[in-house]
PDB file of all heavy atoms in Angstrom:
ATOM      1  N   ARG A 602      39.693  26.412  10.488  1.00  0.00           N
ATOM      2  CA  ARG A 602      40.766  26.734   9.547  1.00  0.00           C
ATOM      3  C   ARG A 602      40.865  25.664   8.458  1.00  0.00           C
ATOM      4  O   ARG A 602      41.051  25.987   7.276  1.00  0.00           O
ATOM      5  CB  ARG A 602      42.101  26.834  10.302  1.00  0.00           C
ATOM      6  CG  ARG A 602      43.316  27.090   9.421  1.00  0.00           C
ATOM      7  CD  ARG A 602      43.205  28.370   8.631  1.00  0.00           C
ATOM      8  NE  ARG A 602      44.384  28.562   7.784  1.00  0.00           N
ATOM      9  CZ  ARG A 602      44.365  29.161   6.609  1.00  0.00           C
ATOM     10  NH1 ARG A 602      43.223  29.614   6.109  1.00  0.00           N
ATOM     11  NH2 ARG A 602      45.489  29.323   5.911  1.00  0.00           N
ATOM     12  N   VAL A 603      40.695  24.389   8.837  1.00  0.00           N
ATOM     13  CA  VAL A 603      40.710  23.306   7.846  1.00  0.00           C
ATOM     14  C   VAL A 603      39.583  23.499   6.837  1.00  0.00           C
ATOM     15  O   VAL A 603      39.776  23.364   5.618  1.00  0.00           O
ATOM     16  CB  VAL A 603      40.591  21.929   8.532  1.00  0.00           C
ATOM     17  CG1 VAL A 603      40.400  20.824   7.495  1.00  0.00           C
ATOM     18  CG2 VAL A 603      41.817  21.645   9.383  1.00  0.00           C
ATOM     19  N   GLN A 604      38.403  23.838   7.336  1.00  0.00           N
ATOM     20  CA  GLN A 604      37.264  24.045   6.443  1.00  0.00           C
ATOM     21  C   GLN A 604      37.499  25.236   5.513  1.00  0.00           C
ATOM     22  O   GLN A 604      37.124  25.203   4.339  1.00  0.00           O
ATOM     23  CB  GLN A 604      35.985  24.256   7.270  1.00  0.00           C
ATOM     24  CG  GLN A 604      35.511  22.983   7.967  1.00  0.00           C
ATOM     25  CD  GLN A 604      34.302  23.214   8.850  1.00  0.00           C
ATOM     26  OE1 GLN A 604      34.127  24.312   9.397  1.00  0.00           O
ATOM     27  NE2 GLN A 604      33.477  22.187   9.007  1.00  0.00           N
ATOM     28  N   GLU A 605      38.133  26.248   6.019  1.00  0.00           N
ATOM     29  CA  GLU A 605      38.438  27.423   5.196  1.00  0.00           C
ATOM     30  C   GLU A 605      39.400  27.056   4.067  1.00  0.00           C
ATOM     31  O   GLU A 605      39.209  27.456   2.907  1.00  0.00           O
ATOM     32  CB  GLU A 605      39.057  28.519   6.072  1.00  0.00           C
ATOM     33  CG  GLU A 605      39.364  29.815   5.329  1.00  0.00           C
ATOM     34  CD  GLU A 605      40.053  30.833   6.228  1.00  0.00           C
ATOM     35  OE1 GLU A 605      39.912  30.740   7.464  1.00  0.00           O
ATOM     36  OE2 GLU A 605      40.748  31.718   5.679  1.00  0.00           O
ATOM     37  N   VAL A 606      40.429  26.241   4.391  1.00  0.00           N
ATOM     38  CA  VAL A 606      41.391  25.796   3.375  1.00  0.00           C
ATOM     39  C   VAL A 606      40.689  24.948   2.320  1.00  0.00           C
ATOM     40  O   VAL A 606      40.956  25.074   1.109  1.00  0.00           O
ATOM     41  CB  VAL A 606      42.537  24.997   4.044  1.00  0.00           C
ATOM     42  CG1 VAL A 606      43.433  24.347   2.979  1.00  0.00           C
ATOM     43  CG2 VAL A 606      43.363  25.907   4.940  1.00  0.00           C
ATOM     44  N   ILE A 607      39.777  24.089   2.762  1.00  0.00           N
ATOM     45  CA  ILE A 607      39.044  23.218   1.837  1.00  0.00           C
ATOM     46  C   ILE A 607      38.173  24.044   0.892  1.00  0.00           C
ATOM     47  O   ILE A 607      38.146  23.806  -0.327  1.00  0.00           O
ATOM     48  CB  ILE A 607      38.194  22.193   2.619  1.00  0.00           C
ATOM     49  CG1 ILE A 607      39.099  21.168   3.311  1.00  0.00           C
ATOM     50  CG2 ILE A 607      37.201  21.484   1.696  1.00  0.00           C
ATOM     51  CD1 ILE A 607      38.365  20.235   4.261  1.00  0.00           C
ATOM     52  N   ILE A 608      37.468  25.029   1.432  1.00  0.00           N
ATOM     53  CA  ILE A 608      36.577  25.854   0.605  1.00  0.00           C
ATOM     54  C   ILE A 608      37.373  26.607  -0.461  1.00  0.00           C
ATOM     55  O   ILE A 608      36.989  26.648  -1.640  1.00  0.00           O
ATOM     56  CB  ILE A 608      35.781  26.830   1.496  1.00  0.00           C
ATOM     57  CG1 ILE A 608      34.766  26.049   2.361  1.00  0.00           C
ATOM     58  CG2 ILE A 608      35.050  27.870   0.644  1.00  0.00           C
ATOM     59  CD1 ILE A 608      34.084  26.873   3.426  1.00  0.00           C
ATOM     60  N   LYS A 609      38.501  27.184  -0.058  1.00  0.00           N
ATOM     61  CA  LYS A 609      39.331  27.912  -1.026  1.00  0.00           C
ATOM     62  C   LYS A 609      39.959  26.952  -2.032  1.00  0.00           C
ATOM     63  O   LYS A 609      40.063  27.245  -3.227  1.00  0.00           O
ATOM     64  CB  LYS A 609      40.414  28.695  -0.300  1.00  0.00           C
ATOM     65  CG  LYS A 609      39.877  29.899   0.477  1.00  0.00           C
ATOM     66  CD  LYS A 609      41.011  30.668   1.154  1.00  0.00           C
ATOM     67  CE  LYS A 609      40.472  31.893   1.891  1.00  0.00           C
ATOM     68  NZ  LYS A 609      41.554  32.644   2.585  1.00  0.00           N
ATOM     69  N   GLY A 610      40.391  25.786  -1.540  1.00  0.00           N
ATOM     70  CA  GLY A 610      41.000  24.802  -2.429  1.00  0.00           C
ATOM     71  C   GLY A 610      40.028  24.278  -3.465  1.00  0.00           C
ATOM     72  O   GLY A 610      40.414  24.003  -4.612  1.00  0.00           O
ATOM     73  N   ALA A 611      38.769  24.126  -3.067  1.00  0.00           N
ATOM     74  CA  ALA A 611      37.755  23.627  -3.997  1.00  0.00           C
ATOM     75  C   ALA A 611      37.589  24.558  -5.189  1.00  0.00           C
ATOM     76  O   ALA A 611      37.327  24.113  -6.317  1.00  0.00           O
ATOM     77  CB  ALA A 611      36.422  23.461  -3.270  1.00  0.00           C
ATOM     78  N   GLN A 612      37.767  25.857  -4.954  1.00  0.00           N
ATOM     79  CA  GLN A 612      37.665  26.824  -6.044  1.00  0.00           C
ATOM     80  C   GLN A 612      38.898  26.757  -6.947  1.00  0.00           C
ATOM     81  O   GLN A 612      38.822  27.076  -8.137  1.00  0.00           O
ATOM     82  CB  GLN A 612      37.521  28.245  -5.475  1.00  0.00           C
ATOM     83  CG  GLN A 612      36.358  28.443  -4.508  1.00  0.00           C
ATOM     84  CD  GLN A 612      35.003  28.214  -5.168  1.00  0.00           C
ATOM     85  OE1 GLN A 612      34.844  28.485  -6.352  1.00  0.00           O
ATOM     86  NE2 GLN A 612      34.034  27.711  -4.399  1.00  0.00           N
ATOM     87  N   ALA A 613      40.022  26.326  -6.368  1.00  0.00           N
ATOM     88  CA  ALA A 613      41.285  26.346  -7.121  1.00  0.00           C
ATOM     89  C   ALA A 613      41.577  25.054  -7.870  1.00  0.00           C
ATOM     90  O   ALA A 613      42.408  25.041  -8.789  1.00  0.00           O
ATOM     91  CB  ALA A 613      42.443  26.634  -6.150  1.00  0.00           C
ATOM     92  N   LEU A 614      40.917  23.964  -7.495  1.00  0.00           N
ATOM     93  CA  LEU A 614      41.207  22.676  -8.130  1.00  0.00           C
ATOM     94  C   LEU A 614      40.707  22.672  -9.571  1.00  0.00           C
ATOM     95  O   LEU A 614      39.504  22.821  -9.818  1.00  0.00           O
ATOM     96  CB  LEU A 614      40.541  21.542  -7.352  1.00  0.00           C
ATOM     97  CG  LEU A 614      40.707  20.132  -7.935  1.00  0.00           C
ATOM     98  CD1 LEU A 614      42.187  19.717  -7.932  1.00  0.00           C
ATOM     99  CD2 LEU A 614      39.878  19.124  -7.152  1.00  0.00           C
ATOM    100  N   PRO A 615      41.571  22.508 -10.550  1.00  0.00           N
ATOM    101  CA  PRO A 615      41.137  22.481 -11.958  1.00  0.00           C
ATOM    102  C   PRO A 615      40.237  21.271 -12.221  1.00  0.00           C
ATOM    103  O   PRO A 615      40.564  20.146 -11.835  1.00  0.00           O
ATOM    104  CB  PRO A 615      42.458  22.354 -12.734  1.00  0.00           C
ATOM    105  CG  PRO A 615      43.519  22.789 -11.788  1.00  0.00           C
ATOM    106  CD  PRO A 615      43.033  22.397 -10.423  1.00  0.00           C
ATOM    107  N   THR A 616      39.107  21.505 -12.838  1.00  0.00           N
ATOM    108  CA  THR A 616      38.150  20.419 -13.077  1.00  0.00           C
ATOM    109  C   THR A 616      38.702  19.372 -14.031  1.00  0.00           C
ATOM    110  O   THR A 616      38.297  18.204 -13.968  1.00  0.00           O
ATOM    111  CB  THR A 616      36.839  20.985 -13.656  1.00  0.00           C
ATOM    112  OG1 THR A 616      37.141  21.752 -14.836  1.00  0.00           O
ATOM    113  CG2 THR A 616      36.138  21.875 -12.644  1.00  0.00           C
ATOM    114  N   ASP A 617      39.638  19.762 -14.904  1.00  0.00           N
ATOM    115  CA  ASP A 617      40.150  18.794 -15.869  1.00  0.00           C
ATOM    116  C   ASP A 617      41.102  17.786 -15.238  1.00  0.00           C
ATOM    117  O   ASP A 617      41.555  16.841 -15.894  1.00  0.00           O
ATOM    118  CB  ASP A 617      40.831  19.500 -17.039  1.00  0.00           C
ATOM    119  CG  ASP A 617      41.985  20.401 -16.589  1.00  0.00           C
ATOM    120  OD1 ASP A 617      42.267  20.452 -15.375  1.00  0.00           O
ATOM    121  OD2 ASP A 617      42.583  21.052 -17.466  1.00  0.00           O
ATOM    122  N   ARG A 618      41.441  17.989 -13.966  1.00  0.00           N
ATOM    123  CA  ARG A 618      42.311  17.029 -13.290  1.00  0.00           C
ATOM    124  C   ARG A 618      41.549  15.783 -12.839  1.00  0.00           C
ATOM    125  O   ARG A 618      42.155  14.782 -12.465  1.00  0.00           O
ATOM    126  CB  ARG A 618      42.989  17.679 -12.074  1.00  0.00           C
ATOM    127  CG  ARG A 618      44.071  18.692 -12.454  1.00  0.00           C
ATOM    128  CD  ARG A 618      44.805  19.192 -11.241  1.00  0.00           C
ATOM    129  NE  ARG A 618      45.464  18.113 -10.502  1.00  0.00           N
ATOM    130  CZ  ARG A 618      46.161  18.311  -9.369  1.00  0.00           C
ATOM    131  NH1 ARG A 618      46.275  19.546  -8.868  1.00  0.00           N
ATOM    132  NH2 ARG A 618      46.734  17.288  -8.753  1.00  0.00           N
ATOM    133  N   LEU A 619      40.213  15.882 -12.851  1.00  0.00           N
ATOM    134  CA  LEU A 619      39.382  14.743 -12.441  1.00  0.00           C
ATOM    135  C   LEU A 619      38.844  14.028 -13.676  1.00  0.00           C
ATOM    136  O   LEU A 619      38.248  14.643 -14.563  1.00  0.00           O
ATOM    137  CB  LEU A 619      38.220  15.216 -11.557  1.00  0.00           C
ATOM    138  CG  LEU A 619      38.605  15.898 -10.244  1.00  0.00           C
ATOM    139  CD1 LEU A 619      37.350  16.331  -9.479  1.00  0.00           C
ATOM    140  CD2 LEU A 619      39.457  14.979  -9.385  1.00  0.00           C
ATOM    141  N   LYS A 620      39.078  12.745 -13.719  1.00  0.00           N
ATOM    142  CA  LYS A 620      38.630  11.930 -14.846  1.00  0.00           C
ATOM    143  C   LYS A 620      37.103  11.844 -14.861  1.00  0.00           C
ATOM    144  O   LYS A 620      36.457  11.675 -13.825  1.00  0.00           O
ATOM    145  CB  LYS A 620      39.228  10.526 -14.724  1.00  0.00           C
ATOM    146  CG  LYS A 620      38.832   9.579 -15.842  1.00  0.00           C
ATOM    147  CD  LYS A 620      39.436   8.189 -15.603  1.00  0.00           C
ATOM    148  CE  LYS A 620      38.956   7.217 -16.669  1.00  0.00           C
ATOM    149  NZ  LYS A 620      39.512   5.851 -16.449  1.00  0.00           N
ATOM    150  N   LYS A 621      36.513  11.981 -16.033  1.00  0.00           N
ATOM    151  CA  LYS A 621      35.067  11.909 -16.173  1.00  0.00           C
ATOM    152  C   LYS A 621      34.610  10.460 -16.362  1.00  0.00           C
ATOM    153  O   LYS A 621      35.183   9.719 -17.159  1.00  0.00           O
ATOM    154  CB  LYS A 621      34.602  12.744 -17.372  1.00  0.00           C
ATOM    155  CG  LYS A 621      34.795  14.247 -17.185  1.00  0.00           C
ATOM    156  CD  LYS A 621      33.975  14.769 -16.016  1.00  0.00           C
ATOM    157  CE  LYS A 621      34.161  16.280 -15.840  1.00  0.00           C
ATOM    158  NZ  LYS A 621      33.431  16.784 -14.651  1.00  0.00           N
ATOM    159  N   PHE A 622      33.583  10.088 -15.598  1.00  0.00           N
ATOM    160  CA  PHE A 622      32.985   8.767 -15.714  1.00  0.00           C
ATOM    161  C   PHE A 622      31.542   8.934 -16.205  1.00  0.00           C
ATOM    162  O   PHE A 622      30.948  10.015 -16.057  1.00  0.00           O
ATOM    163  CB  PHE A 622      32.990   8.053 -14.363  1.00  0.00           C
ATOM    164  CG  PHE A 622      34.346   7.552 -13.941  1.00  0.00           C
ATOM    165  CD1 PHE A 622      35.250   8.393 -13.289  1.00  0.00           C
ATOM    166  CD2 PHE A 622      34.716   6.248 -14.202  1.00  0.00           C
ATOM    167  CE1 PHE A 622      36.496   7.934 -12.910  1.00  0.00           C
ATOM    168  CE2 PHE A 622      35.966   5.773 -13.822  1.00  0.00           C
ATOM    169  CZ  PHE A 622      36.857   6.618 -13.175  1.00  0.00           C
ATOM    170  N   PRO A 623      30.974   7.893 -16.782  1.00  0.00           N
ATOM    171  CA  PRO A 623      29.565   7.984 -17.205  1.00  0.00           C
ATOM    172  C   PRO A 623      28.670   8.378 -16.027  1.00  0.00           C
ATOM    173  O   PRO A 623      28.910   7.982 -14.881  1.00  0.00           O
ATOM    174  CB  PRO A 623      29.245   6.566 -17.693  1.00  0.00           C
ATOM    175  CG  PRO A 623      30.567   5.982 -18.065  1.00  0.00           C
ATOM    176  CD  PRO A 623      31.563   6.580 -17.104  1.00  0.00           C
ATOM    177  N   GLU A 624      27.645   9.162 -16.332  1.00  0.00           N
ATOM    178  CA  GLU A 624      26.716   9.615 -15.284  1.00  0.00           C
ATOM    179  C   GLU A 624      26.013   8.415 -14.654  1.00  0.00           C
ATOM    180  O   GLU A 624      25.606   7.473 -15.340  1.00  0.00           O
ATOM    181  CB  GLU A 624      25.683  10.569 -15.881  1.00  0.00           C
ATOM    182  CG  GLU A 624      24.721  11.150 -14.850  1.00  0.00           C
ATOM    183  CD  GLU A 624      23.675  12.047 -15.490  1.00  0.00           C
ATOM    184  OE1 GLU A 624      23.574  12.040 -16.733  1.00  0.00           O
ATOM    185  OE2 GLU A 624      22.969  12.743 -14.752  1.00  0.00           O
ATOM    186  N   LEU A 625      25.898   8.456 -13.337  1.00  0.00           N
ATOM    187  CA  LEU A 625      25.192   7.388 -12.626  1.00  0.00           C
ATOM    188  C   LEU A 625      23.689   7.625 -12.722  1.00  0.00           C
ATOM    189  O   LEU A 625      23.169   8.607 -12.189  1.00  0.00           O
ATOM    190  CB  LEU A 625      25.615   7.355 -11.153  1.00  0.00           C
ATOM    191  CG  LEU A 625      27.063   6.970 -10.853  1.00  0.00           C
ATOM    192  CD1 LEU A 625      27.319   7.052  -9.354  1.00  0.00           C
ATOM    193  CD2 LEU A 625      27.371   5.567 -11.365  1.00  0.00           C
ATOM    194  N   LYS A 626      22.975   6.743 -13.397  1.00  0.00           N
ATOM    195  CA  LYS A 626      21.527   6.865 -13.515  1.00  0.00           C
ATOM    196  C   LYS A 626      20.897   5.477 -13.492  1.00  0.00           C
ATOM    197  O   LYS A 626      21.246   4.604 -14.284  1.00  0.00           O
ATOM    198  CB  LYS A 626      21.134   7.583 -14.807  1.00  0.00           C
ATOM    199  CG  LYS A 626      21.067   9.098 -14.679  1.00  0.00           C
ATOM    200  CD  LYS A 626      20.006   9.512 -13.672  1.00  0.00           C
ATOM    201  CE  LYS A 626      20.069  11.008 -13.383  1.00  0.00           C
ATOM    202  NZ  LYS A 626      19.138  11.368 -12.292  1.00  0.00           N
ATOM    203  N   PHE A 627      19.999   5.305 -12.565  1.00  0.00           N
ATOM    204  CA  PHE A 627      19.294   4.030 -12.436  1.00  0.00           C
ATOM    205  C   PHE A 627      17.796   4.294 -12.517  1.00  0.00           C
ATOM    206  O   PHE A 627      17.285   5.209 -11.871  1.00  0.00           O
ATOM    207  CB  PHE A 627      19.635   3.344 -11.119  1.00  0.00           C
ATOM    208  CG  PHE A 627      21.071   2.925 -11.013  1.00  0.00           C
ATOM    209  CD1 PHE A 627      22.040   3.802 -10.540  1.00  0.00           C
ATOM    210  CD2 PHE A 627      21.462   1.655 -11.399  1.00  0.00           C
ATOM    211  CE1 PHE A 627      23.366   3.420 -10.446  1.00  0.00           C
ATOM    212  CE2 PHE A 627      22.786   1.263 -11.311  1.00  0.00           C
ATOM    213  CZ  PHE A 627      23.741   2.146 -10.835  1.00  0.00           C
TER     214      PHE A 627
END
Side-chain angles (χ1 to χ4, degrees):
R602 177 59 181 148
V603 172
Q604 289 176 330
E605 182 183 337
V606 171
I607 290 172
I608 291 171
K609 289 181 178 179
Q612 304 297 328
L614 177 64
T616 55
D617 58 1
R618 288 186 60 181
L619 299 179
K620 180 182 176 181
K621 292 298 181 184
F622 286 84
E624 183 182 11
L625 294 177
K626 272 298 172 186
F627 295 87

